[in-house]
Amino acid sequence: ESYPSIEQIVRDDLLNAVANKIEDVAIEGGASNEPTGITQTSGIGSVAIGTNGGAPTWAMVTDLVKEVEVDNAALNAATLGFITNPKAKSKMANTVRVSSTDSHMILNDPYDSIYGYRLGISTNVPSDLTKGSGSALSAIIFGDYSQLILGIFGGGPDVLVDPYTNSASGSVRIVVHQEVDVAVRHAQSFAACLDMTTR
């Protein structure tokens, strides 16, 4: 049996952290020194549930798709899909489509597609949004992900091992630098709902 070296474990953890941050800013970036992500891009379609947010509805799902389709912005059928977070996934799997007597949930088995499109799940899709008096609201995004452009400059990440900064405590500081930019090529290729309650 072979075990990975500590160096390989640390290297993998660092690269996973960088990949996680890139996904985070691609979805919601917009803070200082961050690229602008999908939800912060001006001109994407918007589907609102209520003044203070609200439970997911089947109309929310179909309206997100409609927002992209009416703009004729569904450019590549193979790259169309939804993305949301685990809290929203659970809520949609427990919410009926039409009425209390409906036997179909918004999200049904096998739980990896909705309304005929793939569904991706990521904790980087926000679940801490606010609207009116609503808080801890979640996002769901529909779009053509071939229109999300990711630019990575200078090849792979630069890793700097700094044994000096924390030398008094006997620890080593590792810094990772990666130049990245994100852009939505056509804002109309995406639509988001940013006020879904999941409790």
Side-chain angles (χ1 to χ4, degrees):
E1 247 182 274
S2 70
Y3 295 95
S5 68
I6 293 300
E7 179 185 350
Q8 188 62 49
I9 291 170
V10 171
R11 184 184 305 270
D12 290 346
D13 285 352
L14 289 171
L15 292 177
N16 286 336
V18 170
N20 189 58
K21 185 62 178 177
I22 292 171
E23 180 182 273
D24 179 53
V25 297
I27 293 169
E28 193 189 19
S32 177
N33 297 319
E34 282 186 353
T36 301
I38 297 168
T39 64
Q40 301 298 314
T41 297
S42 178
I44 68 168
S46 175
V47 173
I49 297 174
T51 304
N52 303 309
T57 65
W58 185 243
M60 170 202 75
V61 171
T62 59
D63 285 348
L64 284 168
V65 175
K66 180 178 75 175
E67 281 290 317
V68 173
E69 289 180 342
V70 297
D71 288 329
N72 203 25
L75 304 176
N76 186 347
T79 53
L80 287 167
F82 289 93
I83 187 170
T84 193
N85 61 52
K87 293 176 183 178
K89 176 186 177 185
S90 176
K91 181 67 172 179
M92 289 189 298
N94 285 287
T95 303
V96 293
R97 283 190 189 179
V98 182
S99 68
S100 59
T101 58
D102 195 346
S103 61
H104 295 282
M105 301 297 168
I106 293 173
L107 180 59
N108 286 299
D109 185 26
Y111 307 108
D112 60 358
S113 66
I114 186 169
Y115 195 39
Y117 297 97
R118 288 181 295 173
L119 172 65
I121 304 298
S122 172
T123 55
N124 287 319
V125 177
S127 62
D128 60 351
L129 302 170
T130 60
K131 184 179 181 187
S133 63
S135 61
L137 303 175
S138 284
I140 182 170
I141 303 164
F142 176 77
D144 178 355
Y145 290 87
S146 71
Q147 300 306 301
L148 179 63
I149 308 301
L150 179 64
I152 297 178
F153 307 98
D158 294 324
V159 179
L160 173 66
V161 178
D162 174 7
Y164 307 109
T165 301
N166 298 321
S167 59
S169 63
S171 59
V172 175
R173 180 173 179 242
I174 301 174
V175 179
V176 180
H177 292 279
Q178 177 68 69
E179 290 187 62
V180 175
D181 199 4
V182 175
V184 172
R185 189 167 175 225
H186 299 292
Q188 300 87 348
S189 294
F190 291 91
C193 174
L194 305 176
D195 65 347
M196 187 193 323
T197 57
T198 58
R199 292 181 241 156

